[in-house]
Amino acid sequence: MTTSMTTPADALSRLADGYLATQLLYVAVELRLPESLAGPPRRADELAAEVGADPAVLRRVLRGLAAEGVLEELADGRFALTAVGELLDADHPSSMRGAVRARGGLYYTALAGLLPATRTGGTPFELAHGRPFFAHLAAHPEQGAAFQASMVARSRREAAGVVAAYDFSRFATLVDVGGGPGLLLAAVLAANPGLTGTLFDRPEVVAGAELPHVGGDFFAQVPPGADAYLLSRVIHDWDDAEATAILRTCRRAMPDTATLLLVEALLPERAAQDPAAVRMDLHMLALLHGRERTRREYAELLAAAGLRLVRVVATGAGVHVIEACPEP
Ligand SMILES: C[S@@+](CC[C@H](N)C(=O)[O-])C[C@H]1O[C@@H](n2cnc3c(N)ncnc32)[C@H](O)[C@@H]1O
C-alpha cells in the first residue's frame, strides 16, 4: 500500500540513507551509465558488459537508482533514463555530471572530518585528508580536473542568470577579479558589446586565457581605474579577515565613482528559507575556510572595506548580484 503521508520515521530514514543516494549517483557517472542509456532502454546484463561491471551488482545499483527516480525500471526489466537521470549525461546542455562526481568522490570523504571539526573547530577536509583542499587537488590531478569541471558547469549556469538579471551596459570598463577561466566575463562581454573587460586571477590560471587578462594576487593589487569590479564566488572562499583584505584591495583600485559587484549565494536569516544556500555554506565549511553570508553580513563586510551595499539583485540561478559603491 502506498500513502502520501510521510511519517517522521520515514523522513528520518531517507535522511539517514542519504549516503546511498550520493554513492549511487557517483557510480552511475563514473561508469558512464547515463551515456549508455541515452538511446533505447537496456537490460542490466547488456549494460554490465558494456561498462565493465558485475551484472548482478549492477542490476541492484540500477534498481536503487530507479527507486530514487533517476532511472525508470520497465515491466520487462529494462532500464531507461528519467528527466532527472538525463542531467547526469555529460552531453546534456545542463549536465550535472561534474557536481555529482565532486560530491561522490572528494566531498564525500571530506565529511568524515565533520564530527571532529564540530567538536574542536577546523576544516573537515583537512582533518580527514591531512592537508588543505587545494594542496590535495594539486597532488591528485584527476580529482582537480573533476573539481574544475564541477565549477565550469555551475559557473555557466550562474553566468546566464547574472547576464539576464543585471544591466552592465552603463559601464565602459570592467575587471573580473578572481574570474577563473572567464566564463562569466565572456558572457557579460557577449551581451554588452560596448564593454571592455579584463580577466584578473592568479598568473597560472589566466596564462592561456583568450580574453584580455592580468595575472596577480588580489591580496596585493588589482588593475586600477575601471568602472566596475566583479567578484563572482570569490568572497565566499575566505573568512572575514581575508575577505575584507580582498575588498580593500579592490577599493584601493576603484575610482570614487566605480561600482563593485559581488556574485554570491545569500544565506537566509533562517535556514528553512533557502536550504540550497545553507547546503552550499556547509560545502564551504567542509572543504575550505570559507563561508556563505547573509545580506546583513555582506553589508558589514563591505563597510569594513570602505564600501556601501547599494542593492541586491536576484538572478534566479541561485546567486545574487550585490552592488556596492565607495563610501564617501
Ligand atoms: C571559486 S573560484 C571562482 C571563479 C569564478 N569567478 C566563478 O565564478 O566561477 C575563485 C577564484 O579565485 C582565484 N584566486 C584564489 N586566490 C587568488 C589570489 N590570491 N589572487 C587572485 N586570484 C585568486 C582562484 O584561482 C579562482 O579562480
Side-chain angles (χ1 to χ4, degrees):
M1 191 180 78
T2 58
T3 166
S4 59
M5 295 292 288
T6 302
T7 66
D10 292 338
L12 185 58
S13 292
R14 278 198 73 77
L15 287 174
D17 286 349
Y19 79 109
L20 286 175
T22 300
Q23 288 302 323
L24 286 169
L25 293 173
Y26 183 56
V27 170
V29 296
E30 286 297 312
L31 295 184
R32 291 201 169 266
L33 295 175
E35 290 79 3
S36 294
L37 283 166
R42 313 274 302 270
R43 291 198 323 265
D45 55 346
E46 287 169 10
L47 282 170
E50 183 171 311
V51 303
D54 179 284
V57 176
L58 181 64
R59 181 164 178 279
R60 291 161 72 182
V61 167
L62 294 171
R63 281 174 56 87
L65 288 162
E68 295 292 354
V70 178
L71 301 180
E72 184 186 358
E73 185 183 21
L74 304 180
D76 62 7
R78 291 180 303 157
F79 292 89
L81 290 175
T82 64
V84 174
E86 283 171 5
L87 290 170
L88 297 173
D89 188 330
D91 298 326
H92 192 286
S94 303
S95 178
M96 294 173 71
R97 170 183 164 78
V100 166
R101 287 189 82 201
R103 280 157 181 73
L106 266 182
Y107 302 2
Y108 189 81
T109 52
L111 261 288
L114 185 59
L115 179 59
T118 307
R119 287 205 163 111
T120 61
T123 306
F125 188 92
E126 289 185 40
L127 293 170
H129 289 283
R131 60 178 153 191
F133 183 65
F134 286 112
H136 177 92
L137 290 192
H140 296 89
E142 74 295 346
Q143 294 188 351
F147 176 70
Q148 288 303 335
S150 76
M151 294 290 106
V152 166
R154 171 191 58 71
S155 196
R156 191 170 285 134
R157 270 199 309 280
E158 292 174 358
V162 168
V163 167
Y166 190 85
D167 179 14
F168 291 84
S169 65
R170 67 191 164 103
F171 306 126
T173 52
L174 177 143
V175 180
D176 187 0
V177 178
L183 282 170
L184 175 56
L185 181 59
V188 170
L189 294 178
N192 296 274
L195 184 60
T196 303
T198 303
L199 185 65
F200 178 85
D201 206 295
R202 290 181 291 127
E204 66 274 21
V205 175
V206 293
E210 287 178 12
L211 294 164
H213 56 269
V214 174
D217 175 4
F218 53 40
F219 288 103
Q221 195 181 9
V222 300
D227 294 337
Y229 288 79
L230 177 65
L231 295 93
S232 165
R233 296 286 205 177
V234 169
I235 294 302
H236 80 158
D237 284 350
W238 304 93
D239 68 21
D240 284 357
E242 292 160 329
T244 306
I246 297 166
L247 292 173
R248 285 202 179 120
T249 313
C250 293
R251 173 63 191 98
R252 279 199 302 277
M254 291 168 68
D256 288 344
T257 53
T259 299
L260 181 125
L261 302 168
L262 305 180
V263 174
E264 297 283 1
L266 277 189
L267 273 186
E269 290 293 336
R270 306 196 55 182
Q273 293 164 346
D274 191 347
V278 173
R279 289 200 302 274
M280 181 55 82
D281 181 55
L282 291 168
H283 287 307
M284 304 315 295
L285 168 74
L287 305 175
L288 296 157
H289 296 287
R291 60 183 312 137
E292 302 295 339
R293 295 175 173 88
T294 63
R295 177 189 174 124
R296 186 169 42 81
E297 288 167 339
Y298 274 112
E300 288 167 6
L301 204 60
L302 289 160
L307 294 154
R308 180 169 57 83
L309 191 155
V310 176
R311 65 182 177 128
V312 172
V313 179
T315 67
V319 286
H320 292 70
V321 182
I322 302 164
E323 186 182 294
C325 67
E327 196 70 88

